[in-house]
Amino acid sequence: MGRSIQERPSLSPSSFAHKLSQRTYQMEPGRITRYQTDANGERIHVVEREVAFGIGSGNHAVTYVHRTAQGRLMEMPVSWYATLKGYAMSPGFDSPDHMDFRREISESCLFCHSATLAPAPIDCHRCHGNTAAHLAKPGKGTILNPARLTPQRQREVCFQCHLETDSRGIADSLRKPGRAAFSFQPGEPLADYKLLFDRAEKGERFEINHTGYRLLQSQCFLQSKGAMTCTTCHDPHSAEVRANSCQQCHAKPHRPGDCAACHMPKRVPSDAIHTLMSDHKIERKPKFTNPKTEIHVPYRGAVIDYYTKADPVSLEMVNLREPRPDVYQRMLKQDPDNVPVLVALGNSFLRTKLPQLAVPYLKKALAIDPKNTDALNYLGVAHAVQDHIEEALAVLKQAVSGNPDHSLSWMNLGNAHEALGDSAAAKAAYRAALRLQPDLKEAQRRLSALP
């Protein structure tokens, strides 16, 4: 975990053409440049971003992170992969309409790769709790020893990051009301920190962060009646596999050698097809699949709670497939200052054509988080559809000022300028949107229609 994030990672000079999105990425030490070419072979839609951090140890991959002038952390669309010894699109970006440089890294994402909101490698505190007393007076009793916890609490020290059910299609977890992203303390029940969810129609799936999820399905774990932990097989400090760990239960292996090679084979995860990970669903005869040939579509079925027991409102919220303001309002009764829920409620009122009801919730979200890009955009739209164009313009100017890399903010700002008859300003906004997102067809259409 000490290599979970690295500052200013080295990039070897290289160029990578992504055919699906018709964009070329050029890697150089410290930066990545994206461009397209026009009919004359000239570069257009050029975007250059400095690389501030690399996420990942490099054993499997390194995904690069850009830090904007406003302090936002943005995932970059190109990653380095050990299996390729080179570059390819980052997980989730290999599509014609990918997020390019626009995917912001949330606190929840950062939690499993960094010690703090200011990116820094994960250190001792993540497993041992507050280390201040131990550093002041080293010795037994001044720090948490996870080995003294119950097996379930031991596993949950690892499961705080390594128990993900689904990386695409559903919200696999929700933090409990009042819990901040970095508030989990080793030794507390994981259910006090967050709720976990899974597809009702599970099927056979293998993803890059399925270590804990697959282990819980393993007969080795089930037959242990809850006694098996991650450190049964792994050294907690090096993550290396303990010698003869299988023989703790299987006294006479049927064949000498590496048990994991046959019973925990390395597989290609469906959400990161350029990596190889050990499948922790330990099986006598593993079933192999080829994620490169599978058809992956977003899951739209029912969601159920998993491992933790969800309350009815949380379960109803993660199952939403249409705008339901009443569900978000019930959630706000539990957690009235939850900014994502306030923003989602505002958007829900917009989608149900009640913009006047969206405004107070979006303003409350902005009172708590003044730079929230989604809240600013939804508020701008709410003003605009009520013909309060000047108010919309002021809000959308705040949006592009606070997040100039957000193409939708420029698009909405162009709409506001166009509604006020300022064609020159509208064109400039649409061009800014297209530079950031060349496949934004509405911006293309509006720009071509202006005189």
Side-chain angles (χ1 to χ4, degrees), residues 237-365:
H237 295 113
S238 68
E240 295 293 330
V241 177
R242 298 183 189 273
N244 302 318
S245 56
C246 295
Q247 294 180 33
Q248 296 176 61
C249 299
H250 304 276
K252 294 182 179 180
H254 63 279
R255 184 180 301 170
D258 181 9
C259 302
C262 290
H263 302 288
M264 300 176 62
K266 289 187 180 297
R267 292 179 53 189
V268 178
S270 62
D271 55 346
I273 62 172
H274 300 299
T275 62
L276 283 171
M277 306 291 293
S278 294
D279 188 352
H280 280 64
K281 185 179 180 181
I282 311 164
E283 295 184 287
R284 181 174 295 179
K285 295 181 179 181
K287 304 174 184 66
F288 289 90
T289 60
N290 183 358
K292 293 185 179 181
T293 63
E294 293 173 2
I295 298 175
H296 297 285
V297 295
Y299 179 72
R300 292 290 183 262
V303 176
I304 58 175
D305 52 11
Y306 176 82
Y307 191 80
T308 56
K309 183 64 177 175
D311 61 279
V313 177
S314 297
L315 194 56
E316 190 175 16
M317 191 169 79
V318 298
N319 271 293
L320 285 178
R321 296 293 181 269
E322 57 185 22
R324 285 279 305 279
D326 59 305
V327 176
Y328 293 114
Q329 286 174 315
R330 288 199 293 275
M331 178 59 72
L332 285 176
K333 289 181 179 179
Q334 299 179 14
D335 195 3
D337 294 330
N338 188 312
V339 171
V341 176
L342 286 164
V343 174
L345 175 57
N347 183 35
S348 189
F349 276 128
L350 279 177
R351 293 173 63 193
T352 52
K353 303 187 185 308
L354 295 169
Q356 70 281 7
L357 299 183
V359 170
Y361 292 102
L362 294 169
K363 285 185 174 180
K364 181 176 180 179

Side-chain angles (χ1 to χ4, degrees), residues 34-39 41-47 434-435 438:
R34 180 263 282 156
Y35 63 90
Q36 294 180 304
T37 53
D38 63 14
E42 298 293 327
R43 289 188 177 188
I44 58 172
H45 300 146
V46 179
V47 174
L434 285 169
R435 184 178 67 88

Side-chain angles (χ1 to χ4, degrees), residues 63-100:
T63 293
Y64 302 106
V65 178
H66 169 66
R67 179 155 56 188
T68 71
Q70 296 75 29
R72 299 175 186 275
L73 298 177
M74 313 299 290
E75 181 179 350
M76 302 182 91
V78 178
S79 295
W80 181 89
Y81 294 95
T83 57
L84 302 176
K85 296 182 180 178
Y87 300 98
M89 298 303 286
S90 300
F93 284 80
D94 196 10
S95 64
D97 55 350
H98 61 75
M99 289 291 289
D100 210 28

Side-chain angles (χ1 to χ4, degrees), residues 20-39:
L20 290 176
S21 63
Q22 299 180 342
R23 301 172 199 181
T24 298
Y25 296 89
Q26 184 174 317
M27 279 62 69
E28 301 173 85
R31 68 175 58 85
I32 296 177
T33 302
R34 180 263 282 156
Y35 63 90
Q36 294 180 304
T37 53
D38 63 14

Side-chain angles (χ1 to χ4, degrees), residues 13-246:
S14 182
S15 183
F16 171 73
H18 185 232
K19 293 181 180 179
L20 290 176
S21 63
Q22 299 180 342
R23 301 172 199 181
T24 298
Y25 296 89
Q26 184 174 317
M27 279 62 69
E28 301 173 85
R31 68 175 58 85
I32 296 177
T33 302
R34 180 263 282 156
Y35 63 90
Q36 294 180 304
T37 53
D38 63 14
N40 299 318
E42 298 293 327
R43 289 188 177 188
I44 58 172
H45 300 146
V46 179
V47 174
E48 181 181 292
R49 294 289 181 264
E50 291 188 356
V51 176
F53 302 97
I55 288 179
S57 66
N59 290 345
H60 303 288
V62 177
T63 293
Y64 302 106
V65 178
H66 169 66
R67 179 155 56 188
T68 71
Q70 296 75 29
R72 299 175 186 275
L73 298 177
M74 313 299 290
E75 181 179 350
M76 302 182 91
V78 178
S79 295
W80 181 89
Y81 294 95
T83 57
L84 302 176
K85 296 182 180 178
Y87 300 98
M89 298 303 286
S90 300
F93 284 80
D94 196 10
S95 64
D97 55 350
H98 61 75
M99 289 291 289
D100 210 28
F101 292 102
R102 307 189 308 278
R103 180 185 285 177
E104 187 168 356
I105 296 175
S106 68
E107 292 180 358
S108 296
C109 292
L110 196 62
F111 171 71
C112 288
H113 295 282
S114 175
T116 62
L117 279 173
I122 293 173
D123 55 20
C124 307
H125 83 278
R126 183 55 61 90
C127 300
H128 293 279
N130 193 316
T131 60
H134 187 70
L135 293 173
K137 186 179 180 181
K140 293 182 178 180
T142 60
I143 196 170
L144 172 69
N145 181 356
R148 298 183 183 277
L149 300 173
T150 65
Q152 183 177 3
R153 294 290 95 83
Q154 288 184 49
R155 288 192 298 273
E156 290 176 352
V157 172
C158 303
F159 284 177
Q160 61 178 301
C161 287
H162 293 284
L163 182 56
E164 181 180 64
T165 63
D166 197 323
S167 66
R168 296 172 296 183
I170 69 168
D172 87 300
S173 64
L174 289 176
R175 287 201 307 274
K176 297 291 288 289
R179 296 302 299 258
F182 286 80
S183 66
F184 179 79
Q185 293 298 313
E188 72 169 319
L190 187 64
D192 289 353
Y193 171 67
K194 66 179 179 180
L195 301 171
L196 295 165
F197 304 93
D198 194 10
R199 302 181 183 191
E201 305 166 16
K202 295 185 178 63
E204 184 71 13
R205 292 179 293 116
F206 178 66
E207 298 180 0
I208 195 166
N209 195 16
H210 262 181
T211 305
Y213 182 66
R214 298 287 284 180
L215 178 67
L216 292 178
Q217 301 172 42
S218 166
Q219 285 299 314
C220 285
F221 171 76
L222 296 172
Q223 292 297 324
S224 78
K225 294 181 170 54
M228 187 179 184
T229 69
C230 303
T231 57
T232 300
C233 301
H234 290 276
D235 180 280
H237 295 113
S238 68
E240 295 293 330
V241 177
R242 298 183 189 273
N244 302 318
S245 56
C246 295

Side-chain angles (χ1 to χ4, degrees), residues 423-441:
S423 295
K427 285 181 179 180
Y430 294 145
R431 290 192 183 103
L434 285 169
R435 184 178 67 88
L436 294 164
Q437 187 177 348
D439 59 357
L440 191 54
K441 289 183 172 52

Side-chain angles (χ1 to χ4, degrees), residues 426-428 430-431 434 442-451:
K427 285 181 179 180
Y430 294 145
R431 290 192 183 103
L434 285 169
E442 181 64 10
Q444 295 171 353
R445 186 187 68 79
R446 285 183 172 272
L447 183 60
S448 63
L450 285 172

